């Protein structure tokens, strides 16, 4: 036996000595790129990492607990790049998407899954796990229902009770839901007249290359959007916050907070902070940014930043709060990330993603994505008649 074969045999035998439970607990703490390489260590490691859905879920949950999120960016060339929040000073990953779907832009994300869409491909959406490289093409059969070609808003969320990720698309008079576990769509006619009144038919012009669809904020089995004459990222006194409730499969309305309703000079945006729904913004007169979070169905003021509201709310988008308490904003301008440290109450860093304008598409906002191995199992897609719920 050659020395190379002997070393390989000894190495594989050594891996078998480690008890399965201990190996399981160790590997779920490993980043996905390393896990993909570890599949070649031995057949037993490959089986544990590749064929065990329980392992993929445990690794996803461990990544959540460790806060292993990364910021997903897209170049105009179609290439995606990622900045780990554990090391936000440089780009650490690059990944190409299948050529036929390059230039598809990011709609929204949930955990380690990202929903994308290519302009002019009205009915085709792509569900993608950037960490593992797995993807699934989703075709919406309702894209021409009532002559509405394109959705105004979309969302992606996870139902822990049924272990199911769902895609939500909101059109003018109805919304549709795709179940990744069942591989099927359902359509519900909304009972909110405000959608019918304020969401006109949106059709892509033949010469248009830009498809705009507002991605909601995913939080604990719900997806939230703000509404004022259209799906609008800014929340004012007259705005309405709506959400999709995964438990009941219904589109509902969330009462607008009192601190928004009582002031005509406020402007807020939806976000998520520390696993909670968040509103950030404030009054133009006071010139300070307030960050609110929802805890136990009540709004709590988390922090104030003394800076021009008009500047912050239009030029910076709150992406997340890191494990060490820093707040990361997208902006100001393209290719920049701003980091605010509440301990010293000031912005401490502006990270330049690139010196070239090619890095981030003007209409794509950097998106958070979890370092996760999990991807919904493949299912048989059966053709079904359109299902309407009045």
């Amino acid at each position: 036996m050659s020395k190379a074969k002997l070393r390989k045999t000894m190495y594989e035998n050594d891996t078998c000595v480690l008890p399965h439970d201990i190996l399981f607990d160790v590997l779920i703490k490993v980043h996905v790129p390393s896990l993909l390489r570890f599949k070649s260590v031995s057949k037993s490691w490959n089986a544990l990492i590749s064929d065990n859905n329980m392992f993929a879920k445990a690794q996803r949950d461990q990544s959540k607990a460790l806060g292993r999120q990364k910021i997903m960016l897209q170049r105009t060339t179609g290439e995606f790049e990622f900045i780990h929040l554990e090391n936000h000073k440089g780009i650490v990953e690059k990944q190409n998407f299948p050529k036929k779907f390059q230039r598809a832009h990011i709609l929204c994300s949930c955990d380690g899954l990202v929903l994308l869409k290519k302009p002019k491909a009205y009915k085709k959406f792509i569900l993608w796990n950037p960490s593992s490289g797995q993807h699934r093409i989703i075709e919406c059969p309702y894209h021409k229902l009532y002559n509405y070609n394109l959705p105004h808003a979309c969302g992606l969320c996870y139902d822990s009770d049924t272990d199911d990720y769902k895609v939500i698309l909101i059109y003018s008079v109805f919304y549709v839901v795709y179940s990744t576990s069942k591989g099927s769509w359902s359509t519900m006619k909304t009972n909110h007249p405000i959608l019918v009144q304020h969401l006109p038919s949106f059709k892509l012009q033949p010469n248009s290359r830009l498809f705009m669809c507002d991605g909601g904020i995913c939080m604990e089995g719900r997806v939230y959007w703000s509404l004022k004459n259209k799906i609008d990222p800014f929340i004012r006194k007259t705005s309405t916050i709506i959400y999709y409730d995964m438990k009941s499969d219904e589109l509902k309305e969330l009462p607008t907070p009192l601190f928004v309703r009582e002031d005509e000079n406020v402007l807020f945006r939806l976000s998520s902070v520390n696993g909670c729904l968040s509103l950030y913004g404030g009054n133009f007169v006071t010139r300070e940014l307030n960050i609110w979070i929802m805890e136990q169905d009540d709004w709590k003021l988390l922090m104030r930043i003394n800076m021009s509201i008009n500047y912050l709310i239009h030029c910076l988008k709150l992406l997340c709060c890191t494990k060490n308490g820093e707040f990361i904003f997208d902006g100001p301008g393209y290719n920049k990330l701003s980091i605010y440290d509440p301990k010293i109450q000031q912005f401490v860093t502006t990270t330049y993603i690139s010196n070239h304008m090619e890095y981030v598409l003007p209409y794509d906002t950097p998106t958070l994505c979890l370092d996760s191995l999990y991807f919904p199992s493949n299912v048989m897609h059966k053709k079904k008649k359109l299902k309407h719920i009045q």
Side-chain angles (χ1 to χ4, degrees), residues 119-122 149-150 202-206 208-211:
K120 297 187 179 181
Y122 297 137
N149 288 339
L150 298 171
F202 176 39
K203 296 182 179 181
L204 193 66
Q205 299 300 318
S208 174
R209 300 179 60 188
L210 185 60
F211 166 69

Side-chain angles (χ1 to χ4, degrees), residues 64-67 321-326:
K64 281 185 182 181
L66 295 173
C321 178
T322 64
K323 292 293 262 186
N324 63 4
E326 293 179 335

